[in-house]
Amino acid sequence: MSLSFVSTQSAHRGSHWLGTSWIMLTDIVGTSVLTFAGVARQLGWVWTILFIVCLAPVSIYSALLMSRTGSTLAKLPGGKRPESMGEAARLTLGGDKAAAATYLAVYGFGYLGQSSYILVLGQCLQGVFFQSELCLPTATAIACLLCLPIAVSVRHLSDSVVLCFINLFLIVAVLAIVMAKMYFEGRPSNVHTFAFAEDLTFWSAFGAASNIVYSYTGHWLYFELMADMQTPEHFPLVFLINAPLQVFLYLLVACWGYHFAGDKAEGYFLDNLPDGEPYRWASILLFLHVAIAFLVKNVVISRALHMRLSPSRVDVGFREPGGIRAQAEFAACVVFVFITGTLIANSIPFFSDLLALIGSLLSGPISFLLPIAGVLSVYERSGTCGYMWYVRV
């Protein structure tokens, strides 16, 4: 599938399930994996491995429930497949009030997540130019300007498939640079590892476990992904690739980082590198990776905003009547998200801690509880046998 930067309704055909897999990997194998060495330092070997392995099937099962919800709603008399989690809430959980609350939680959380990506992009640029002492507000502004041309052009998730395919290799390259540097330097004699971290407390365990939970919670955009597929019923097939690759990379980074850095491991994987060329190149590759992940989520956020402002033109292609205006409206939404996200990320001193708290409160319910509530509601409406329902899922 070729990458198109000018989206037209006539040319838009949706993505194959394999393309959807690459898009999902951009989100789920993202910056959260870079925290896993620090997570292992806080938890120790046993809890780290247990959380990573055991949360994977929970995440997959809730995603399959979302797929089943969409398929069943489409088969009901007069029914249709939801194109967002808010629309799914409207169809399953009680109309406009449920939809409004879900939209606020899901897209509010996604919007704040975009602001955190802007911060990470700025930090990556600081790493690239570590000798110039570039300040963070300036770095984030430059990062947004670099991302803006592509962001205003890509209006469908399926338009980003090639970028997402490349993106997986970018994060693998970042991890390889850091891991190779740690390997060749060897494990320091003063490094210690533990089955259970010696200073483990309830709150430290909760915080570390929240990072792992967050890394499995990409469900907020799954309905958008299904809606953008050629055959939405094939959505479960993406986990044939995603699930083993995700668990493997998570375990590899956590165990490798903890083995070589142990109780001295930094919370941010690149902080285990000293200033120098490996750090610079890792920062360059990480910037490209985060930029692509940022742009993919921007499609969902900006499209949702465009839908609220001008629903009649959200799917109008550039070369169709009214297409230039539709493209300009989408570009305005993108610029709004970029500017406000940058201001929020730089104006709140404790923004990262605030986002971690909000993520701990919202990511679990959005990704695990809402899919269960939705599928139970559809079960009642369809009259499907409960036992057969769960066997089929």
Side-chain angles (χ1 to χ4, degrees):
M1 178 175 294
S2 61
L3 177 65
S4 171
F5 289 127
V6 178
S7 188
T8 65
Q9 185 69 7
S10 59
H12 180 68
R13 292 290 183 269
S15 60
H16 186 267
W17 71 266
L18 192 58
T20 301
S21 178
W22 302 128
I23 297 174
M24 284 178 59
L25 283 171
T26 290
D27 178 53
I28 61 181
V29 186
T31 55
S32 59
V33 72
L34 300 175
T35 68
F36 278 14
V39 167
R41 173 181 56 79
Q42 292 178 283
L43 295 175
W45 289 110
V46 175
W47 286 118
T48 299
I49 295 174
L50 193 64
F51 277 129
I52 291 175
V53 173
C54 292
L55 280 171
V58 176
S59 173
I60 294 169
Y61 185 69
S62 59
L64 295 181
L65 292 182
M66 295 174 69
S67 177
R68 177 59 63 183
T69 298
S71 298
T72 305
L73 284 172
K75 295 175 182 177
L76 292 176
K80 63 175 184 177
R81 178 178 289 275
E83 297 185 358
S84 67
M85 191 166 275
E87 185 64 21
R90 174 181 283 110
L91 297 173
T92 61
L93 300 179
D96 292 340
K97 290 184 178 180
T102 304
Y103 275 125
L104 179 62
V106 171
Y107 289 112
F109 177 58
Y111 173 73
L112 291 177
Q114 287 295 86
S115 300
S116 72
Y117 274 119
I118 292 174
L119 275 183
V120 175
L121 287 170
Q123 292 169 348
C124 290
L125 281 185
Q126 287 180 312
V128 174
F129 303 103
F130 63 86
Q131 294 174 323
S132 63
E133 298 183 356
L134 187 67
C135 71
L136 186 58
T138 301
T140 55
I142 294 173
C144 286
L145 289 175
L146 291 174
C147 294
L148 190 60
I150 298 178
V152 299
S153 303
V154 179
R155 293 173 58 190
H156 294 279
L157 287 172
S158 57
D159 294 333
S160 63
V161 170
V162 174
L163 282 176
C164 293
F165 179 77
I166 296 171
N167 207 30
L168 176 62
F169 296 96
L170 288 174
I171 190 63
V172 170
V174 172
L175 298 176
I177 290 174
V178 181
M179 292 165 64
K181 184 69 173 177
M182 297 173 77
Y183 175 79
F184 287 115
E185 288 187 348
R187 175 175 170 168
S189 58
N190 63 337
V191 162
H192 304 283
T193 59
F194 306 93
F196 300 93
E198 287 191 326
D199 57 348
L200 186 65
T201 65
F202 172 80
W203 292 112
S204 64
F206 178 80
S210 295
N211 280 336
I212 300 177
V213 172
Y214 183 76
S215 68
Y216 280 109
T217 53
H219 300 62
W220 68 278
L221 51 74
Y222 285 179
F223 280 120
E224 282 89 349
L225 286 171
M226 285 184 268
D228 213 41
M229 291 179 65
Q230 295 174 358
T231 310
E233 290 76 14
H234 291 172
F235 178 74
L237 295 177
V238 303
F239 296 101
L240 295 176
I241 295 176
N242 288 22
L245 187 57
Q246 184 181 17
V247 174
F248 171 75
L249 284 176
Y250 286 179
L251 287 174
L252 178 64
V253 174
C255 295
W256 191 283
Y258 190 50
H259 171 74
F260 284 99
D263 53 352
K264 306 296 190 298
E266 297 290 343
Y268 179 56
F269 206 39
L270 265 65
D271 287 342
N272 293 289
L273 287 178
D275 290 345
E277 289 306 308
Y279 181 63
R280 188 193 305 276
W281 281 105
S283 297
I284 292 172
L285 294 174
L286 183 60
F287 176 86
L288 295 174
H289 169 79
V290 176
I292 294 174
F294 173 69
L295 291 170
V296 168
K297 291 187 177 181
N298 175 75
V299 173
V300 178
I301 299 297
S302 297
R303 182 178 171 83
L305 183 59
H306 192 194
M307 176 72 75
R308 299 293 295 177
L309 297 177
S310 182
S312 63
R313 282 187 290 272
V314 71
D315 283 321
V316 176
F318 182 76
R319 296 186 178 90
E320 296 180 355
I324 295 177
R325 179 175 178 179
Q327 191 71 38
E329 290 172 346
F330 181 78
C333 293
V334 172
V335 171
F336 174 80
V337 171
F338 275 37
I339 293 176
T340 57
T342 302
L343 292 175
I344 290 174
N346 286 289
S347 61
I348 302 177
F350 52 90
F351 178 74
S352 296
D353 293 333
L354 176 63
L355 184 62
L357 175 62
I358 295 174
S360 298
L361 294 174
L362 292 181
S363 59
I366 288 173
S367 297
F368 303 136
L369 298 184
L370 279 179
I372 294 174
V375 81
L376 289 176
S377 175
V378 172
Y379 157 65
E380 291 182 359
R381 290 180 57 186
S382 65
T384 307
C385 172
Y387 173 75
M388 290 301 295
W389 179 273
Y390 291 104
V391 169
R392 289 182 65 191
V393 171

